[in-house]
Amino acid sequence: MRDRGVRSQAARVRKERKVWGGGAARLLLGLVVVLAVAALAVAPAFAAGDPSGSATGGIADVPAAQAGHPTFQEVAQATGHATVGINFVWTLLAGFLVFFMQAGFALVETGFTRAKNAAHTIAMNLMVFLVGAIGYWLVGFALQFGGVGRIAALGGTPPLSGEWSLGGWGLLGHSGFLLTSGGAYDVGVFALFLFQMVFMDTAVTIPTGAMAERVKFAAVVASSFFISMVLYPVFGNWLWGGGWLAQLGSRLGLGHGAVDFAGSGVVHAIGGAAGLAGALVLGPRIGRYGRDGKPRPMPGHDIPMAILGTVILFFGWFGFNPGSTLAGTDLRISVVAVNTMMAGAVGGFAAMVYAWLRDGKPDPAMMANGVLAGLVAITAPSAFVNSWSAVIIGAVAGLLVYESIRFFDRIHLDDPVGAVSVHFTNGLWGVLSVGLFADGTYGIGWNGVGAGAARGVTGLFFGDPGQLVAQLCEVAVAVLWGFGLSYLFFRTLDAVMGIRVSQETELAGLDLPEMGALAYPDFVLRSAETAEVPFGHGRREVALEGAGYLGEAGASPSAPS
């Protein structure tokens, strides 16, 4: 009987829940219907929206003393302000893209180096940005752009009017130190600073790859100040700041003077030259070259990481090159973007096929470096050439990077990531390609030449050999200034503090001795690689511990050797 009562009570509860649940649902549905009807009834009381956007923005949005009735002067003022505003947004967004390239460089360099040095390598890539930004803010920007004069796309930049010159030839700027001197507290100047600072940082980053796995962290700190405050901005002034290389056209009739649209020479060749000098002073890594002089493989520990970094760099390059117009209102940006894309794609493809034919395998590392080589090469000519020229420039770059890497290995120039071949070799090729392939469709008035002419920057293949001469001058100065001064700097720094880690540190890995932290603390690094090192009055064979193979702590030693 008790069970029957319990079951009866449970049935009543279920019935009540059903009744109340159904009632609540009907109440909620009714409320929704009432609200919908009310909304439809009230809707006519409000102004209609603009779903297409065609009616949004008009004369009422033009700032005017009498709202809705602007004068011609007020309309012109608003138009000019909007134009410069578009350029500001474009320049800043492009600068943000270039900044993101720092992540690409960090991944490429770390992936192409061994696991025992991963924390050191990636930390260098962060540190150089921090140091470079400070050095460029203190001194570099003023030396480079202090006398650039009017940049119309950014509203005129009136404070940047101080240039030291000799006989009319520009040498150095002297306005804008600490973004303060000479009235540099200006919106246009600040926009230019951000965009150019991330360009400078690319040049500062390049040497870290060439010197990786044996350079002291402190030495890279010092070299980053040197590049950001002296090496890069001085050369940059000569090309982009109104300096003497840019004046070769207006003063000597050599084309439009040395032309380097987005920096194959200013950024990449200079950064690559510093990397070349640093690698020479450091010498090769222990065990890199055998008794027979042939290079011994020291594979990077994470090829997927390096490939991802390459993709990020490719993406950032769409800020690097099109952004160098400094103007979202300059419709040439579409040509620049497509040329950039094609040269990078063809460069990677050419390097892949060439390595496949020469070595029997397509080689993902060479493919990645081919992409970067094509992008570096098209950086200077990207605004001045057609797409077929971009394809040729990229293809040559893909072949050049392969042969350049092999050449430097033959002379025992140890470059763990191929930075010198990508940036120095192909930076110079990019500068020369302007003098060969520029087709005259863009750049009228460039560097103050031919403002009333019908043609812009024109290379040898389109009728102006003078432009090629000007580009050869840039190449020569980039080598002499970029490599020559960097070599003196690294030699001096080596004599003062020593720029290479000890033999013990190099063999063990730079992470703990230099950084106090391991990139992979949960893994054991193993390798059967050996190398001869000095010992007493002779030499002995030692194991290269931690050369890059990873295994979980406690796992069986099954990694390849």
Side-chain angles (χ1 to χ4, degrees):
M1 293 294 291
R2 184 179 178 183
D3 291 342
R4 185 182 301 169
V6 171
R7 288 195 296 271
S8 177
Q9 184 178 1
R12 286 196 301 271
V13 170
R14 287 195 296 272
K15 184 176 180 181
E16 289 173 359
R17 286 179 178 175
K18 183 176 181 180
V19 170
W20 281 106
R26 287 192 292 272
L27 179 62
L28 181 60
L29 179 59
L31 182 60
V32 170
V33 171
V34 169
L35 290 175
V37 171
L40 290 173
V42 174
F46 297 95
D50 181 22
S52 71
S54 61
T56 299
I59 195 168
D61 299 296
V62 177
Q66 185 178 356
H69 300 280
T71 65
F72 174 80
Q73 184 65 28
E74 288 170 333
V75 171
Q77 182 77 13
T79 301
H81 191 80
T83 300
V84 173
I86 291 170
N87 294 342
F88 266 48
V89 171
W90 170 249
T91 300
L92 292 174
L93 285 175
F96 303 155
L97 278 175
V98 177
F99 168 74
F100 189 52
M101 291 173 69
Q102 194 65 34
F105 279 115
L107 293 175
V108 167
E109 293 182 13
T110 305
F112 280 157
T113 51
R114 290 169 293 178
K116 65 180 181 178
N117 303 313
H120 184 271
T121 303
I122 205 163
M124 286 194 296
N125 277 268
L126 174 59
M127 176 274 296
V128 295
F129 178 84
L130 312 179
V131 171
I134 295 168
Y136 199 62
W137 173 74
L138 288 171
V139 174
F141 178 75
L143 294 180
Q144 184 172 2
F145 287 104
V148 70
R150 176 178 172 79
I151 299 180
L154 299 179
T157 57
L160 302 180
S161 57
E163 178 84 1
W164 285 308
S165 60
L166 182 63
W169 295 93
L171 298 176
L172 289 175
H174 59 82
S175 177
F177 294 102
L178 286 76
L179 286 180
T180 303
S181 69
Y185 190 7
D186 172 86
V187 292
V189 172
F190 273 52
L192 181 66
F193 173 82
L194 184 142
F195 187 74
Q196 295 298 337
M197 196 286 291
V198 292
F199 269 54
M200 173 281 305
D201 184 61
T202 298
V204 173
T205 299
I206 292 167
T208 62
M211 300 189 296
E213 301 203 282
R214 74 271 201 207
V215 67
K216 289 182 179 178
F217 194 81
V220 182
V221 173
S223 66
S224 298
F225 274 119
F226 161 69
I227 295 171
S228 64
M229 298 173 73
V230 180
L231 184 75
Y232 174 86
V234 172
F235 187 76
N237 175 273
W238 297 343
L239 269 296
W240 291 345
W244 66 274
L245 282 171
Q247 294 174 298
L248 292 175
S250 60
R251 294 175 68 90
L252 296 183
L254 296 177
H256 282 71
V259 172
D260 193 347
F261 181 69
S264 291
V266 174
V267 178
H268 296 282
I270 289 298
L276 173 61
L280 278 174
V281 174
L282 280 168
R285 291 167 291 175
I286 295 173
R288 174 59 176 150
Y289 301 102
R291 292 181 181 180
D292 58 0
K294 293 182 179 179
R296 302 177 65 179
M298 287 187 170
H301 80 284
D302 197 332
I303 296 302
M305 178 190 292
I307 298 298
L308 177 60
T310 302
V311 174
I312 291 174
L313 285 170
F314 206 146
F315 175 67
W317 235 285
F318 289 116
F320 211 97
N321 288 359
S324 292
T325 59
L326 302 179
T329 53
D330 185 344
L331 302 186
R332 189 73 174 187
I333 57 178
S334 64
V335 174
V336 179
V338 170
N339 285 342
T340 300
M341 178 175 64
M342 293 308 303
V346 173
F349 181 76
M352 177 191 74
V353 171
Y354 195 57
W356 208 338
L357 293 173
R358 295 290 301 272
D359 305 326
K361 299 292 182 182
D363 191 349
M366 192 62 72
M367 190 191 317
N369 275 332
V371 169
L372 300 179
L375 293 169
V376 167
I378 199 60
T379 296
S382 56
F384 307 107
V385 301
N386 206 335
S387 61
W388 66 265
S389 296
V391 166
I392 294 174
I393 292 167
V396 173
L399 304 184
L400 272 178
V401 73
Y402 179 96
E403 291 298 341
S404 178
I405 288 173
R406 295 296 182 264
F407 168 77
F408 284 123
D409 262 340
R410 285 196 295 272
I411 65 172
H412 291 190
L413 189 285
D414 186 15
D415 178 1
V417 306
V420 175
S421 296
V422 168
H423 298 280
F424 181 65
T425 302
N426 281 286
L428 298 181
W429 161 235
V431 171
L432 289 176
S433 66
V434 177
L436 296 173
F437 295 101
D439 61 12
T441 59
Y442 185 76
I444 293 175
W446 201 271
N447 288 336
V449 175
R455 304 195 75 193
V457 178
T458 306
L460 175 67
F461 297 154
F462 292 86
D464 187 359
Q467 189 62 54
L468 180 58
V469 176
Q471 301 306 115
L472 286 167
C473 290
E474 181 183 347
V475 166
V477 175
V479 173
L480 293 173
W481 173 262
F483 174 74
L485 187 62
S486 295
Y487 188 78
L488 289 175
F489 170 80
F490 282 114
R491 275 294 182 198
T492 303
L493 189 65
D494 191 41
V496 171
M497 61 173 283
I499 66 172
R500 183 163 182 157
V501 299
S502 68
Q503 177 178 292
E504 293 75 18
T505 295
E506 185 175 346
L507 290 173
L510 279 62
D511 282 4
L512 269 181
E514 282 275 298
M515 309 308 300
L518 291 171
Y520 307 106
D522 294 332
F523 291 83
V524 176
L525 308 182
R526 300 184 297 273
S527 174
E529 292 183 42
T530 61
E532 281 192 345
V533 299
F535 180 74
H537 297 290
R539 300 173 70 84
R540 72 174 180 181
E541 194 89 357
V542 300
L544 299 182
E545 295 295 337
Y549 303 114
L550 295 179
E552 292 186 41
S556 60
S558 58
S561 61

